Amino acid sequence: NAKSPRASEIGVPESPVTVSRREALTAGAATAVATAASIIGPSPSSAASSTPIPIEGPPERQALLRAIISKASDAVVADLIASLEPLDPSKGSGAAAPELGG
């Protein structure tokens, strides 16, 4: 059962700063949280307020996006979604199957 030599015994100067295990773990945890936060980026609420959303496409889609951005009621958003459902983005050139009702 050999003991490890002390730093002073092998010629390595001892550090004047001592850090407890608790301090080391706390500092490590804080660093991990800060790193994760920087990787993830800004929160969705702050990103939504600073990043403009391009509103393009059919007028029904534009109306829906504007309602969502302005935080319209669920009923208004549901009505706008319903107005988008019958639209045919293929303009009649897409495949249709009677089994699927189209």
Side-chain angles (χ1 to χ4, degrees):
N1 214 3
K3 290 177 77 177
S4 300
R6 295 182 53 90
S8 59
E9 293 173 357
I10 58 173
V12 176
E14 291 189 31
S15 172
V17 178
T18 53
V19 178
S20 71
R21 288 185 188 131
R22 180 178 292 175
E23 291 170 329
L25 288 172
T26 302
T31 301
V33 169
T35 302
S38 68
I39 290 171
I40 292 171
S43 67
S45 60
S46 66
S49 63
S50 63
T51 306
I53 297 173
I55 299 178
E56 42 192 50
E60 295 85 358
R61 180 179 184 274
Q62 293 175 15
L64 174 61
L65 291 175
R66 284 192 189 98
I68 293 170
I69 291 169
S70 67
K71 300 185 188 303
S73 70
D74 289 348
V76 169
V77 172
D79 287 342
L80 291 169
I81 290 172
S83 73
L84 276 172
E85 289 174 351
L87 296 180
D88 181 8
S90 69
K91 306 287 187 225
S93 63
E99 299 84 23
L100 301 175

